[in-house]
Amino acid sequence: MCTKFIPIFFIVSILLITKSFAQKEKIDRYLASCNERGLFNGTALIAKGDSILFNKGFGLANREWNIPNDVDTRFDIGSLTKQFVTVITLQLVEEGKLNVDNVISDFLPKYRKDIGDIVNINHLLKHTSGIKPYVAVRGIDNQLAQTLSKETALEVLHSGDLEFEPGERYRYNNSGMCILVYIIEKITKKAFEDNLKERIFIPLKMKNSGLIKPNKVIEKLASGYILGMGEYTKPKYLNPLNTYGAGGLHSTVEDMFLWNRSFAKHSLLPEKYDEWFYDPYDEFHPGNGHAYSWDITTLQLPDTKKKTKFAHYNGAQWGYLCEMAWIFEGDYTILLFTNIGHNINIWAVESGIRNILLNAPYKIPLPSLNSVLAKNLNNDTFYKLILDVKNNKTQYSINEQSINMLGYNLLWRNNLTKAQLVFELNTKLFSESSNAFDSLGELYMTIGKKKNAINSFKRSLELNPENKNAKAMLDNLNNK
């Protein structure tokens, strides 16, 4: 008698395939629902190890021509560019051409010596340099839109006074990454673009990535949009030439998947650098927080209650938001790129996908309050929404920055009544936010409510004594 049996590995394979298919179906339905609610518009890629589980576009890449997002749509990846700068810098360290203790002046002798002599490469990599970032300079947008020479950009945008002593604390800093690009070019005697191609794009076969350049047509690049005054509009123009390193790259989810896998495979740097990437700076965020070009936290697995590392980083540029995440247990990669960036709570969307992958309960995120308000600016529903939210009668996904931006859009268009309602709502929802009260103070100044403005700026300073804008505004109001 012949006994038939099915090999165990075959059974396991079938189970794994069935599980992957079920995950793919759940993710597809989940993201389709998010897209219908206005919560996601872009391209998603989900993978386990080297195997792509899900890759699909949602919504429109170009609203003028009704062109949909697809798997090969390119996006401005914003601050994800910083990861590339970090890796090239550490490659130079590995090659012995650079030491993290070297100071700026060692490579850029024309940089202001009072800062260049005390800020080192490690400070720039860790965002602890203390150099005032260009985004903190009021009225800088006009200069960011111009085409500046490298020397002028370095002097005007990236040579601000120290806000604190180098190494004293963490403050996210775009200028530090721009300075590193100048140093990379000086050491290698090659343009940043050439370094990217030779050190990263060609070795990893990233064929759909590159630098965004003024007036250059980039094939299949999604247009960025902002939902501001009840309709989608194009964001303001910023010249990428001035801030390469802080941002400036375009890519696809497929190319960025290759990039993410290079960390797991140690394709570009040896394993010894893992602790730089995945162990947060103990002196600032022990256990959770910022590492070299990654934000690190821990997740608890629902079945075993075991904890696993979760590394993620995002890039935000006007009209775009790109999130890359890596769950160590299970080796899952999540890439979510959107071209309506300032109206999307990408982390809420990502959380649902995370739970699907980990077999945990999940639900569709709530609609964005900012988007709902923006869509109803021109009817009476706007006032009802404000009242309902204040009285906790309705629930939305709430993002302080997005609501604040809506307030400023209304302010700039002289819609002062609605701007006041939005700014006041933001301080109610985020009562411990110095920035929310600072913005409300500016609104009160604009409409001539001096006493209200003083009270708002005082509250802002109470919440953040280092808020220089609030202090300057108070001095100005008290001297009138």
Side-chain angles (χ1 to χ4, degrees):
M1 178 177 169
C2 179
T3 303
K4 295 182 179 180
F5 67 93
I6 301 175
I8 295 297
F9 76 88
F10 183 75
I11 296 174
V12 172
S13 298
I14 293 295
L15 290 174
L16 289 175
I17 291 171
T18 302
K19 179 182 177 182
S20 296
F21 182 78
Q23 286 179 329
K24 179 178 179 179
E25 289 293 301
K26 283 183 180 179
I27 292 169
D28 194 11
R29 289 196 301 269
Y30 172 79
L31 286 175
S33 296
C34 288
N35 175 249
E36 289 170 6
R37 291 191 181 190
L39 300 172
F40 183 68
N41 183 97
T43 303
L45 185 150
I46 320 297
K48 180 175 174 59
D50 293 332
S51 300
I52 295 175
L53 302 175
F54 183 85
N55 190 10
K56 186 175 179 180
F58 294 85
L60 297 175
N62 183 283
R63 293 177 179 272
E64 292 92 324
W65 290 91
N66 210 37
I67 298 171
N69 280 309
D70 208 340
V71 295
D72 58 351
T73 301
R74 304 187 192 200
F75 296 81
D76 183 335
I77 65 170
S79 287
L80 282 171
T81 305
K82 293 179 174 68
Q83 288 192 332
F84 294 78
V85 177
T86 299
V87 167
I88 293 175
T89 301
L90 294 181
Q91 285 178 331
L92 294 175
V93 171
E94 180 67 13
E95 294 164 11
K97 298 174 182 177
L98 178 66
N99 189 296
V100 292
D101 293 324
N102 284 132
V103 295
I104 295 174
S105 296
D106 290 339
F107 306 101
L108 305 177
K110 293 184 179 180
Y111 192 83
R112 54 183 294 183
K113 286 186 66 63
D114 60 328
I115 294 177
D117 287 349
I118 60 174
V119 172
N120 63 34
I121 303 302
N122 207 29
H123 293 139
L124 299 175
L125 288 169
K126 293 171 68 174
H127 298 270
T128 60
S129 69
I131 297 171
K132 187 173 185 176
Y134 64 83
V135 294
V137 179
R138 285 187 170 272
I140 200 68
D141 285 1
N142 288 335
Q143 289 171 305
L144 289 174
Q146 299 172 19
T147 300
L148 305 177
S149 68
K150 288 186 177 181
E151 294 76 15
T152 301
L154 182 61
E155 180 182 352
V156 174
L157 302 178
H158 314 307
S159 301
D161 295 334
L162 289 182
E163 297 186 311
F164 52 85
E165 289 301 308
E168 182 179 276
R169 74 183 79 141
Y170 171 95
R171 187 187 179 190
Y172 189 78
N173 196 316
N174 283 322
S175 288
M177 288 291 154
C178 297
I179 294 170
L180 282 171
V181 168
Y182 288 102
I183 291 173
I184 288 168
E185 293 185 329
K186 185 69 177 289
I187 292 173
T188 62
K189 296 181 173 59
K190 293 180 179 179
F192 182 46
E193 183 174 26
D194 293 330
N195 275 286
L196 286 165
K197 288 178 181 177
E198 294 171 15
R199 292 175 174 272
I200 296 174
F201 295 156
I202 293 174
L204 297 183
K205 296 182 172 56
M206 295 176 64
K207 298 178 181 179
N208 295 305
S209 304
L211 283 179
I212 297 171
K213 298 178 181 179
N215 304 318
K216 180 182 178 181
V217 175
I218 299 172
E219 184 181 0
K220 296 186 177 181
L221 178 67
S223 299
Y225 299 95
I226 294 175
L227 178 60
M229 304 297 293
E231 60 184 4
Y232 285 103
T233 59
K234 289 291 189 71
K236 59 186 175 182
Y237 174 74
L238 301 177
N239 191 328
L241 284 174
N242 302 321
T243 55
Y244 280 153
L249 280 180
H250 65 80
S251 192
T252 65
V253 289
E254 293 178 335
D255 265 16
M256 289 301 288
F257 174 56
L258 297 174
W259 169 248
N260 186 67
R261 295 309 294 161
S262 75
F263 286 90
K265 296 179 176 182
H266 307 102
S267 308
L268 301 175
L269 284 168
E271 189 174 350
K272 67 182 181 182
Y273 288 97
D274 280 3
E275 62 181 284
W276 297 47
F277 290 120
Y278 313 127
D279 292 338
Y281 322 136
D282 289 339
E283 65 268 38
F284 298 109
H285 303 88
N288 291 303
H290 308 284
Y292 287 72
S293 74
W294 287 98
D295 289 331
I296 307 297
T297 187
T298 56
L299 299 176
Q300 188 175 64
L301 302 178
D303 47 358
T304 64
K305 304 303 179 185
K306 176 183 174 183
K307 289 187 176 181
T308 181
K309 273 190 176 178
F310 176 65
H312 70 104
Y313 208 69
N314 69 79
Q317 184 55 279
W318 284 102
Y320 302 90
L321 179 58
C322 300
E323 168 78 353
M324 181 169 74
W326 183 14
I327 306 172
F328 282 42
E329 185 73 22
D331 196 12
Y332 289 110
T333 299
I334 302 172
L335 290 159
L336 296 172
F337 289 6
T338 176
N339 59 320
I340 51 172
H342 284 72
N343 302 101
I344 295 290
N345 185 346
I346 203 79
W347 303 278
V349 176
E350 178 194 78
S351 176
I353 294 174
R354 223 164 49 213
N355 287 344
I356 291 172
L357 295 174
L358 298 177
N359 295 314
Y362 69 96
K363 57 185 179 181
I364 309 298
L366 295 167
S368 163
L369 174 60
N370 174 61
S371 298
V372 175
L373 286 172
K375 288 178 180 177
N376 289 282
L377 283 173
N378 300 319
N379 57 58
D380 290 340
T381 304
F382 177 86
Y383 298 102
K384 184 179 184 302
L385 283 167
I386 294 283
L387 188 62
D388 286 348
V389 173
K390 280 187 175 181
N391 294 328
N392 297 315
K393 289 184 178 180
T394 187
Q395 290 185 320
Y396 293 96
S397 171
I398 298 173
N399 179 278
E400 177 193 346
Q401 183 182 4
S402 296
I403 297 173
N404 218 42
M405 184 54 64
L406 175 61
Y408 276 115
N409 279 329
L410 290 163
L411 176 60
W412 295 331
R413 297 185 184 223
N414 208 36
N415 196 333
L416 302 180
T417 301
K418 290 182 178 177
Q420 181 177 343
L421 288 172
V422 170
F423 282 126
E424 288 176 344
L425 176 65
N426 216 20
T427 58
K428 177 177 174 59
L429 296 172
F430 299 95
S431 58
E432 299 300 311
S433 167
S434 172
N435 186 60
F437 281 95
D438 184 272
S439 299
L440 179 59
E442 291 184 356
L443 177 279
Y444 284 142
M445 280 185 65
T446 302
I447 62 178
K449 291 189 174 183
K450 180 178 178 180
K451 185 177 179 180
N452 297 66
I454 289 173
N455 289 336
S456 292
F457 286 126
K458 281 183 177 179
R459 180 57 181 155
S460 179
L461 270 178
E462 288 173 4
L463 293 167
N464 178 14
E466 296 182 6
N467 187 336
K468 294 181 179 179
N469 179 66
K471 187 177 185 306
M473 293 297 183
L474 272 177
D475 290 343
N476 182 36
L477 287 165
N478 290 326
N479 289 331
K480 284 186 177 180

